[in-house]
Amino acid sequence: MADRPVTLSRHTWRTLRARRRQTPLLVVAASCVLVAAAVLMIFPGVAPHDPDLIDGAVAFQSPGSQYWLGTDNLGRDVFSRIVAGTRTGLLGPLILAIGTTLLATLVAVVAGYLGGHVDALTGRVIDVLYAVPPMVVAIVVVGITGGGWWIALAVLLVFGLPINIRLLRSAVIVRARLPYIEAARTSGFSGTRIMVFHLLPTIAAFLVAVFFLTFTYGIVDLSALSFLGLGVPPGASDWGRMIAENRAYLFQNAWATIGPTIAVVLVAVSANVVGDWIYSRYESRGRTR
Amino acid sequence: MASGPGKGVSRTARGSAGPNPAGPALRFLVGRLLGGAAVLLVVSFALFALIYAAPGGAEQALAGPYASAEQRQAIRETYHLDDPLLTQYGHYLRSLATLDFGASFLMREPVTVSLARAAMVTLPLLLSAWGLAMIGGIALGLLAATRRGGAVDRWVSSTVVVAASTPMFATAILLTWLFGVKLGWLPTVGSGQGGIDTLRHLVLPAVAMGTVLLASATRVTRSAVMDVLDSDHVTFARSRGISSRRILGNDVLRNAAVPIVTQAGGLLIALTGGLVVVESVFAFDGIGSLLTQAIGARDVPVIQAVTLALAAAIVLINLAVDLAIFGLDPRVRRGRGRG
């Protein structure tokens, strides 16, 4: 993958090009991520209305000074609901991203370092699971069990792991064969110590990539699941749910549907752009060394 | 990330290198078919066990909420629902072996009929979305890679990052709003009444599904082509004075084909997940809607048949990709693995 020897000139040139290309998009994306994170943390203070307050008298209000994005069919404030939607909309992907990064790293580093039977077995399991589309499994499993949000999260976590383990494992295998690892082993360092202090730091860029890729994938898949009515209960202020429930009223107040759609797109795209950038920075730093 | 599921190929091929090129190919094919059958068996059992363990069983779907206790009991006996899991699964496997998928609880017709009807709606959608993504993606990727660092490349690359992380249903909703509500150009609900009408109904779902995949196809093509352009043999060909056009045809495309084909299969598989969502947005009566309806109504035979059909499709796509790579890459064919 990115492990071929690279000539310095090409690398410098590529980095320069990448920086020039990514700057404006990156600034927008980074601000979106920061705003989303801020909203998630101080959400009750930001929402101008109670997101779950039903008031038939103000149903289908157009966007205005009182209801910034108007109200839905039950008179609930759309903007406040989008704000409240950060709970499931961002926390779920965050849990997914953290869980995937930790588990994938653990498996990849141990299998990649130990090699032999452990690695072969891991490879086999990954090969089988790799072709399984997590989304289809999630739809079937959550649909049949009638299980909620946590089951959806668990399924996406398990079936999202193979691609990430594969990515990290290939990075570990290349590094585990380098002379400095051999030297550390000869010096009598324990396997754990070599894995944690000698291997792990060198794949930091890949960890960041895995984290942000999984985060994006979590936003996309979890919101798609709740859009299908799987995961979060009906009426919850969740972006996917809001889109599904307000879709029938596109003519009355389009913002009740378009608003959460834009929220999903903005956060997913921003996370991806930021992850892409951090990854390329880390990676290029590793290359110059 | 281009070196995708092809790894299994090289390993299999390497293990059976022989002087006769048909030998390893045949052995490879048989091995993969057996593997595929095993995968389907595992999927069918996992699904069966899941349905067995789930609350609110098939008798509720068949009898509805108002059935008496005796009616329920009668249904449980007809469908062997009180047998232990493995016995039930045995019954199920025996009927599967005779290609009997059962009858839909909901539509009171053989599942194969429902499945075939839905497939006829889904296949055109799937193929047009996939075709759009592959043709557009390869064209854009080539364009960007051959003009690396230029305005086109920068524009394509940043658009791709945005498009690749936009959820399919979000694209679908935005398209519905723009072309259905604001402009009123295209129908946004249903799958059409045949002829031109069907085509018109196909446009928005196909674009919604195709956009995300077009982005990933572009990304993979671009990096695959750039990798080849950076290689020594291209530099050498240039230094010999061979025209850029010939280099592109003879060296670049042939070498970049393997990751692109791998990606093409991956995209088709990724489409199966998107299918369910996009069909739900556009109320398209295809496989995806069939699955969501069946899940909502606990229509067990349909759930089983659709899931098995999807699993079989995935196995076949992977097999097709591996065979294509076998044909495309002489290194794999001769059992030397991929470089």
Side-chain angles (χ1 to χ4, degrees):
Chain A
M1 235 157 270
D3 310 308
R4 295 168 290 118
V6 181
T7 59
L8 186 67
S9 65
R10 206 179 89 215
H11 146 255
T12 321
W13 186 79
R14 254 192 191 174
T15 321
L16 282 177
R17 183 181 51 75
R19 283 217 181 118
R20 193 179 58 190
R21 168 164 63 84
Q22 285 172 346
T23 308
L25 190 63
L26 177 72
V27 171
V28 175
S31 342
C32 281
V33 169
L34 288 179
V35 167
V39 168
L40 175 65
M41 278 183 278
I42 52 171
F43 120 75
V46 177
H49 297 272
D50 178 356
D52 296 317
L53 182 70
I54 292 174
D55 184 358
V58 293
F60 297 126
Q61 297 280 315
S62 298
S65 56
Q66 212 204 334
Y67 300 103
W68 295 350
L69 290 179
T71 55
D72 64 7
N73 58 327
L74 298 175
R76 294 174 295 195
D77 180 38
V78 171
F79 181 75
S80 304
R81 287 179 71 72
I82 293 179
V83 168
T86 51
R87 234 173 347 187
T88 47
L90 296 180
L91 269 187
L94 198 64
I95 297 172
L96 192 68
I98 294 173
T100 304
T101 314
L102 289 179
L103 285 176
T105 311
L106 185 71
V107 175
V109 169
V110 171
Y113 175 74
L114 292 181
H117 292 304
V118 181
D119 191 42
L121 185 69
T122 319
R124 264 294 147 83
V125 174
I126 289 173
D127 274 346
V128 171
L129 286 179
Y130 185 78
V132 180
M135 190 60 191
V136 176
V137 182
I139 290 170
V140 172
V141 170
V142 178
I144 291 175
T145 55
W149 196 66
W150 287 103
I151 293 197
L153 213 57
V155 172
L156 291 183
L157 176 68
V158 169
F159 287 91
L161 273 179
I163 185 169
N164 292 306
I165 293 177
R166 182 175 273 190
L167 174 76
L168 292 176
R169 204 188 74 165
S170 64
V172 170
I173 285 176
V174 171
R175 285 158 179 80
R177 290 187 192 137
L178 292 180
Y180 82 95
I181 295 291
E182 195 53 48
R185 213 178 293 157
T186 323
S187 313
F189 290 169
S190 74
T192 324
R193 182 170 170 176
I194 295 176
M195 283 188 254
V196 174
F197 293 105
H198 300 255
L199 271 177
L200 205 54
T202 64
I203 57 163
F206 293 91
L207 297 190
V208 175
V210 163
F211 180 86
F212 278 93
L213 278 178
T214 318
F215 187 78
T216 308
Y217 144 82
I219 294 173
V220 172
D221 281 4
L222 279 173
S223 59
L225 279 177
S226 59
F227 174 81
L228 290 174
L230 304 167
V232 291
S237 37
D238 173 274
W239 295 340
R241 266 281 177 196
M242 289 174 70
I243 296 169
E245 284 166 9
N246 290 310
R247 203 153 51 94
Y249 313 108
L250 257 181
F251 286 95
Q252 281 97 331
N253 180 10
W255 280 104
T257 312
I258 302 299
T261 310
I262 292 178
V264 171
V265 173
L266 269 186
V267 177
V269 170
S270 303
N272 200 13
V273 170
V274 172
D276 217 42
W277 178 73
I278 298 181
Y279 174 63
S280 60
R281 278 208 57 150
Y282 261 111
E283 202 204 9
S284 57
R285 212 195 321 157
R287 277 178 176 178
T288 35
R289 249 192 242 135
Chain B
M1 256 162 268
S3 63
K7 275 189 182 157
V9 180
S10 48
R11 200 190 308 121
T12 322
R14 205 181 297 133
S16 52
N20 176 15
L26 198 67
R27 206 176 306 171
F28 164 75
L29 189 65
V30 170
R32 289 304 299 254
L33 282 176
L34 285 177
V39 166
L40 288 184
L41 208 62
V42 170
V43 169
S44 74
F45 182 73
L47 191 66
F48 202 90
L50 192 68
I51 293 172
Y52 180 85
E59 85 268 20
Q60 209 143 358
L62 276 167
Y66 307 112
S68 65
E70 291 82 42
Q71 280 171 314
R72 276 165 201 267
Q73 192 50 45
I75 289 170
R76 294 194 72 83
E77 274 164 20
T78 323
Y79 285 87
H80 308 287
L81 291 178
D82 290 322
D83 289 353
L85 173 63
L86 282 177
T87 320
Q88 281 192 42
Y89 181 66
H91 281 294
Y92 174 60
L93 262 193
R94 223 163 294 149
S95 53
L96 273 194
T98 56
L99 289 180
D100 172 18
F101 292 91
S104 161
F105 294 169
L106 202 63
M107 279 168 291
R108 314 270 170 195
E109 62 181 11
V111 171
T112 38
V113 174
S114 317
L115 201 61
R117 191 180 334 108
M120 290 316 290
V121 176
T122 290
L123 278 180
L125 172 63
L126 201 64
L127 291 179
S128 50
W130 184 66
L132 177 79
M134 287 320 295
I135 295 170
I138 291 175
L140 280 180
L142 264 178
L143 206 67
T146 46
R147 289 161 181 73
R148 185 192 305 186
V152 176
D153 182 28
R154 283 198 311 257
W155 186 82
V156 167
S157 303
S158 42
T159 314
V160 156
V161 175
V162 173
S165 39
T166 306
M168 241 178 238
F169 74 95
T171 320
I173 292 285
L174 293 174
L175 285 175
T176 308
W177 178 66
L178 189 63
F179 290 100
V181 177
K182 280 275 142 181
L183 300 169
W185 287 353
L186 289 162
T188 57
V189 172
S191 39
Q193 307 292 325
I196 295 291
D197 192 43
T198 306
L199 269 185
R200 275 165 54 81
H201 280 84
L202 204 61
V203 177
L204 288 184
V207 171
M209 283 170 78
T211 310
V212 183
L213 302 174
L214 193 145
S216 16
T218 308
R219 191 185 257 179
V220 168
T221 308
R222 179 174 172 271
S223 71
V225 170
M226 282 197 339
D227 276 353
V228 183
L229 282 176
D230 280 341
S231 63
D232 291 338
H233 66 88
V234 169
T235 314
F236 184 57
R238 284 237 168 85
S239 70
R240 278 184 297 160
I242 295 174
S243 74
S244 293
R245 187 180 293 261
R246 271 193 67 185
I247 292 178
L248 202 65
N250 282 355
D251 299 66
V252 176
L253 282 182
R254 283 191 60 185
N255 276 292
V258 171
I260 292 175
V261 166
T262 308
Q263 172 77 356
L267 289 187
L268 205 51
I269 291 172
L271 272 175
T272 54
L275 197 64
V276 181
V277 180
V278 170
E279 283 189 0
S280 154
V281 174
F282 292 100
F284 219 74
D285 332 305
I287 300 275
S289 298
L290 190 66
L291 180 63
T292 34
Q293 278 164 19
I295 286 175
R298 304 216 142 272
D299 194 344
V300 175
V302 177
I303 301 177
Q304 287 168 332
V306 172
T307 312
L308 275 184
L310 286 178
I314 290 169
V315 167
L316 285 180
I317 292 169
N318 277 324
L319 182 64
V321 165
D322 286 346
L323 285 178
I325 290 173
F326 217 87
L328 275 170
D329 194 338
R331 285 167 295 187
V332 175
R333 209 162 43 225
R334 284 179 209 138
R336 256 190 277 148
R338 264 194 280 150

